[in-house]
Amino acid sequence: MSLVSLFKGNGPSGFGARATAEQVTQGMSLAGKTILLTGCNSGLGLETLRVLSMRGAQVWGTARTVDKAEAAIKSVGATGAKGFACELSDPASVRSCVAAVIASGVQLDAIICNAGIMALPKLQQAFGYELQFFTNHIGHFMLVTGLLGQLSPTGRVVMLSSGAHTRAPREGIQFDNLSGEKNYRDWTAYGQSKMANLLFAKELSKRLAGTQKTANAVHPGVIATNLTRHMNPVIGAVFALARPLFLKNIGEGAATQVYVATHPSLATVTGKYFADCNVTPPRSDAEDSALASRLWAKSEEIVAGLP
Ligand SMILES: NC(=O)c1ccc[n+]([C@@H]2O[C@H](COP(=O)([O-])OP(=O)(O)OC[C@H]3O[C@@H](n4cnc5c(N)ncnc54)[C@H](OP(=O)(O)O)[C@@H]3O)[C@@H](O)[C@H]2O)c1
């Protein structure tokens, strides 16, 4: 438990910043549930894999390669878990993952879109689109929309956003600069991708209206993980030093996504943004349904144009 978590109280959910993924699932059996989780091999994803499996869920964990996914499953003794390759910046890999899940005939009780990259110091692109937008948003957009037919009648989609969505450009999404070529800034680009994750959850929840399926977004807190790998090493070192004082630990960091994906109290809660296991307001434009619809339409257009 970090010093900062120690002084934060619990919210209306009964949980707060100190809650861990183990605590939010205490006494819960997830036997018979199947949960697809991206980025299962590192940081919050690895802890999510561990705890969901410990509670009896069958986790279908994806990583950039099947070897990485299987090694992660082995490392946490996740019995019953299955590993898949899903390189989010490679449409062919995402499509193969979707096809494998559909071919299995499985019903997914939750899809947790956890994988992500942050603050790339220099502009990188995939298929002409800025890489954080492409990986964090477009890759997951392809995966989730491809798997909507596999979602169980009460299935939940959980998008890992971030408090850093507030660093998105003023317009929310710069539709005229999805290549990132105009005035590239690392944190603005990351913020935009996390704003996109929020808007995607919002629009998906609207499209799922009238069903018992839900879509929500979460901010996990600030946790020292491999996510800092692209940052200046000095800042990365400061991050590591700050860990015991100001940052959440891994268990606390994985709590919100595990809570939103599984907790019985959230069966009908949809279109919300959570932090510290409680609903919280995002930046106001993340609730702009016209912006969310526009992003969905643009994402469909982008996906249709991919090889
Ligand atoms: N840590 C924080 O403080 C924090 C704060 C706010 C939000 N978040 C969000 O939480 C999520 C998990 O982050 P983390 O902190 O656990 O980071 P992490 O330890 O770096 O884990 C990120 C995961 O995403 C995977 N990934 C990255 N690029 C990918 C790609 N192109 N295709 C498939 N998988 C890819 C990584 O795989 P490899 O290991 O193979 O690269 C890894 O499994 C991210 O979405 C992040 O934006 C984290």
Side-chain angles (χ1 to χ4, degrees):
M1 187 192 305
S2 72
L3 196 63
V4 76
S5 316
L6 198 62
F7 294 109
K8 281 194 177 172
N10 290 341
S13 70
F15 298 113
R18 281 172 295 174
T20 63
E22 285 197 20
Q23 286 164 349
V24 300
T25 53
Q26 192 75 48
M28 209 186 274
S29 168
L30 298 177
K33 304 269 186 205
T34 305
I35 299 181
L36 186 92
L37 165 70
T38 67
C40 76
N41 64 296
S42 176
L44 308 183
L46 187 62
E47 177 66 357
T48 299
L49 165 67
R50 186 187 74 79
V51 174
L52 292 176
S53 302
M54 187 179 93
R55 298 294 182 220
Q58 185 176 66
V59 181
W60 288 27
T62 80
R64 291 176 199 261
T65 64
V66 71
D67 287 352
K68 274 193 170 187
E70 281 171 356
I73 288 166
K74 202 169 162 202
S75 75
V76 296
T79 44
K82 285 189 186 174
F84 292 86
C86 182
E87 165 54 66
L88 290 163
S89 64
D90 176 3
S93 173
V94 180
R95 287 192 201 104
S96 302
C97 181
V98 167
V101 175
I102 292 175
S104 76
V106 75
Q107 290 235 303
L108 298 170
D109 295 289
I111 302 175
I112 306 178
C113 294
N114 162 84
I117 45 171
M118 179 177 81
L120 304 183
K122 290 205 175 112
L123 173 63
Q124 291 183 54
Q125 296 173 320
F127 305 95
Y129 298 97
E130 191 281 319
L131 191 59
Q132 289 160 96
F133 177 80
F134 196 89
T135 304
N136 299 351
H137 170 62
I138 294 294
H140 280 128
F141 178 88
M142 286 183 74
L143 184 71
V144 173
T145 54
L147 290 175
L148 284 180
Q150 304 305 122
L151 208 53
S152 83
T154 55
R156 302 181 184 187
V157 174
V158 181
M159 300 304 302
L160 261 286
S161 178
S162 168
H165 78 274
T166 55
R167 302 184 75 161
R170 226 169 349 124
E171 318 84 299
I173 303 291
Q174 282 182 332
F175 289 100
D176 62 349
N177 187 27
L178 294 178
S179 69
E181 281 162 3
K182 287 187 213 160
N183 194 21
Y184 176 78
R185 291 217 181 107
D186 47 5
W187 282 100
T188 310
Y190 177 65
Q192 173 169 268
S193 75
K194 293 286 136 179
M195 175 64 87
N197 291 146
L198 252 162
L199 290 166
F200 173 62
K202 191 84 194 160
E203 177 68 16
L204 182 58
S205 75
K206 200 167 103 187
R207 288 170 183 248
L208 294 175
T211 73
Q212 295 180 70
K213 302 171 193 179
T214 65
N216 291 291
V218 307
H219 167 56
V222 183
I223 310 99
T225 63
N226 290 330
L227 197 62
T228 56
R229 77 191 78 188
H230 299 292
M231 285 164 62
N232 180 323
V234 178
I235 301 174
V238 171
F239 230 69
L241 278 175
R243 184 196 316 232
L245 289 178
F246 302 111
L247 309 188
K248 285 186 176 183
N249 63 37
I250 293 282
E252 292 166 343
T256 304
Q257 63 209 62
V258 167
Y259 171 70
V260 176
T262 64
H263 204 274
S265 67
L266 300 179
T268 58
V269 177
T270 188
K272 302 290 186 209
Y273 174 58
F274 289 76
D276 296 338
C277 300
N278 283 278
V279 174
T280 194
R283 199 173 93 176
S284 59
D285 48 352
E287 312 229 75
D288 178 342
S289 56
L291 184 62
S293 301
R294 187 176 173 200
L295 176 64
W296 186 288
K298 183 68 192 175
S299 305
E300 282 182 329
E301 186 192 312
I302 290 172
V303 171
L306 294 173

